[in-house]
Amino acid sequence: MEMAEEIKALAEVMEQLKQIGGEREKEIQRSAESSTEDRQDDHTVVNDLSLAAAYGRLKVKVADDLTLDDSLRLAMLLNLPRAHMDMLRRVSFIETPGTHLLDLFTEQGIINMFDVTNLQKGLLHIGLMETNELLLVPYQEYVDRDKYERNRTDEFLDWPG
């Protein structure tokens, strides 16, 4: 009889160990999944940082291609207030007006680091096809498609016909 009780007690202990082992295994699995998500978040942050750097370089290169006249035409085309156009004229004595214009476009939500399509359309409207083809098209292709869709800007212009 004592032997049967000991066997029963051992069976209960074994069952408890299985449950503890199963719970521990689930904890390890959750930890591994969390670690994977953390690595993906880290990867996303690194990707966003490299995209931000690429966006900064893009704005500098595009700004270098824009003359004061180009900047004013883009500003009019995208309906920036007259005060902004006057500011573009004033800053052209100090810096490249394109730099100021692209900063305004970013502030106004016309472009962002995930979507530069409004700038692409504007450049095509004013005849700067080469700047669009050499700088903006490759950049927009570089942007993660999913992030582009989630961060699209409002459309200010139609594609030129």
Side-chain angles (χ1 to χ4, degrees):
M1 180 101 162
E2 282 182 29
M3 185 88 140
E5 288 177 12
E6 284 181 20
I7 292 174
K8 187 176 178 182
L10 280 173
E12 286 177 21
V13 168
M14 292 295 287
E15 187 61 36
Q16 289 175 353
L17 286 174
K18 280 184 188 177
Q19 288 176 351
I20 291 170
E23 289 172 13
R24 180 68 181 134
E25 191 174 311
K26 287 178 186 175
E27 279 181 38
I28 291 170
Q29 187 175 2
R30 279 193 297 266
S31 176
E33 288 170 359
S34 174
S35 178
T36 300
E37 288 172 6
D38 290 346
R39 282 194 300 271
Q40 288 172 342
D41 289 345
D42 291 346
H43 185 66
T44 299
V45 168
V46 169
N47 283 345
D48 286 353
L49 288 174
S50 64
L51 183 63
Y55 181 61
R57 286 190 301 272
L58 172 76
K59 286 177 27 176
V60 168
K61 289 177 183 176
V62 171
D64 286 344
D65 282 0
L66 296 176
T67 64
L68 176 59
D69 286 340
D70 294 333
S71 297
L72 291 171
R73 288 171 53 205
L74 281 171
M76 283 192 309
L77 191 62
L78 290 161
N79 296 317
L80 287 183
R82 189 164 192 74
H84 288 305
M85 289 189 253
D86 291 340
M87 181 61 78
L88 286 172
R89 286 186 187 93
R90 282 195 295 271
V91 301
S92 69
F93 295 110
I94 303 166
E95 68 180 21
T96 307
T99 302
H100 187 72
L101 178 70
L102 295 178
D103 288 342
L104 283 172
F105 282 177
T106 301
E107 289 171 21
Q108 300 286 323
I110 295 170
I111 62 173
N112 64 43
M113 75 176 181
F114 301 104
D115 183 9
V116 294
T117 54
N118 284 317
L119 180 57
Q120 286 182 279
K121 294 171 187 177
L123 291 175
L124 293 176
H125 275 284
I126 66 169
L128 292 177
M129 282 75 162
E130 190 172 319
T131 301
N132 179 54
E133 290 298 317
L134 295 177
L135 300 174
L136 293 164
V137 170
Y139 175 82
Q140 196 64 60
E141 289 172 355
Y142 171 72
V143 174
D144 181 330
R145 200 79 193 135
D146 185 47
K147 288 185 180 182
Y148 163 75
E149 289 298 329
R150 285 184 280 140
N151 295 285
R152 288 184 74 173
T153 56
D154 294 335
E155 288 193 31
F156 288 83
L157 295 171
D158 291 328
W159 288 101

